[in-house]
Amino acid sequence: MSNITWLGAHDPFPNPISCQDPDPSVPGLIAVSERIYPGQLARAYQLGIFPWYSDNQPVLWWSPNPRMVLKTANFKCHDSLKKTIRQFLQDSKKEIVVDGDFASVVRSCATASRKDQDGTWITHEIMDAYTQLHEQSHAHSIAVLEDGCLIGGLYCVAFGSMVFGESMFSRQTDASKIALAALCAWCHQHQVEMIDCQQETAHLSSLGAAPIARDEFLTHLQIALKQSNMEICWKFNKEILRHWL
């Protein structure tokens, strides 16, 4: 990784628009840092860069090509999910809460077992950094509750009219899909055209996500950052799910 930039606390990120894949042997890796420094995460997202690394590794900063995105109008609400949504809406014990307990949702994502990844990339450092973004109103959680207990959810990052999906988890069948359906409905209603999904998985593909070229993603990001949707109130409940029925 001799060509990869090591970042200090005040160093700017290489811009992936002009500095694509500085080391071709590690495509998508833009920079490395010893830790996540204050303010660094916010700067990264506004350049289309995100951290993804494991414990005992330096912080690895990525801007992959292609980029997996979910265009909110293309969310696939299959008949089976529509049935689940109807049952969810009729069940008075079940609810959706936005930004009610951000830390609990992130911890649940970190400890969830999953086929396509082991979850270890959500380190304590990651949790602290995204909690700071949450305190600045740039990170949000969508919790799916039953009898007040967390059964699923997701967290995401938002700048301008760009939303970046981070991680989701389920403790009951389709609970994470309920959270994602709610987020997509809210985004669609507020003219948020796409949710960044970062990396391709079969699960996301089944829900309508698809890869696009990095240049296309970065162009969209620059436009979305200039839009004023960051002032939109991130408050909604399970009634948002009626969008898909």
Side-chain angles (χ1 to χ4, degrees), residues 96-111:
I96 287 176
V97 176
V98 179
D99 289 342
D101 190 345
F102 182 83
S104 290
V105 172
V106 176
R107 281 196 302 271
S108 297
C109 290
T111 55

Side-chain angles (χ1 to χ4, degrees), residues 11-206:
D11 292 333
F13 282 97
N15 191 325
I17 292 174
S18 56
C19 183
Q20 300 186 356
D21 294 344
D23 188 336
S25 68
V26 195
L29 184 61
I30 295 295
V32 181
S33 60
E34 185 176 348
R35 54 183 289 260
I36 299 177
Y37 297 103
Q40 196 173 40
L41 197 57
R43 294 196 300 273
Y45 272 93
Q46 292 174 83
L47 288 169
I49 299 169
F50 61 89
W52 186 48
Y53 64 106
S54 299
D55 273 328
N56 304 315
Q57 282 187 319
V59 182
L60 307 177
W61 298 94
W62 300 86
S63 181
N65 186 26
R67 186 82 167 223
M68 191 71 164
V69 303
L70 175 54
K71 295 184 179 180
T72 55
N74 294 344
F75 177 71
K76 290 182 180 177
C77 192
H78 301 285
D79 288 343
S80 59
L81 182 55
K82 288 181 181 179
K83 180 180 178 181
T84 301
I85 287 173
R86 289 189 185 98
Q87 293 170 341
F88 189 89
L89 288 168
Q90 292 168 3
D91 190 339
S92 61
K93 296 180 180 179
K94 291 184 177 177
E95 59 183 326
I96 287 176
V97 176
V98 179
D99 289 342
D101 190 345
F102 182 83
S104 290
V105 172
V106 176
R107 281 196 302 271
S108 297
C109 290
T111 55
S113 60
R114 59 195 81 210
K115 289 186 297 184
D116 52 352
Q117 62 185 48
D118 60 17
T120 56
W121 71 275
I122 305 179
T123 63
H124 289 293
E125 182 178 39
I126 284 283
M127 291 188 219
D128 290 344
Y130 283 89
T131 297
Q132 289 176 15
L133 276 190
H134 173 64
E135 291 167 353
Q136 297 162 8
S137 298
H138 286 301
H140 303 279
S141 62
I142 298 173
V144 182
L145 306 178
E146 181 176 35
D147 269 341
C149 296
L150 194 56
I151 61 169
L154 62 80
Y155 71 100
C156 59
V157 170
F159 285 93
S161 65
M162 187 70 216
V163 172
F164 308 81
E166 288 305 312
S167 186
M168 53 188 182
F169 77 99
S170 282
R171 292 175 184 157
Q172 271 188 24
T173 302
D174 286 345
S176 64
K177 290 182 183 178
I178 289 285
L180 183 59
L183 175 61
C184 285
W186 182 88
C187 286
H188 193 243
Q189 291 178 13
H190 289 88
Q191 292 77 53
V192 176
E193 294 180 15
M194 71 170 63
I195 299 170
D196 175 34
C197 300
Q198 299 174 350
Q199 305 196 50
E200 189 167 358
T201 68
H203 178 63
L204 288 168
S205 295
S206 73

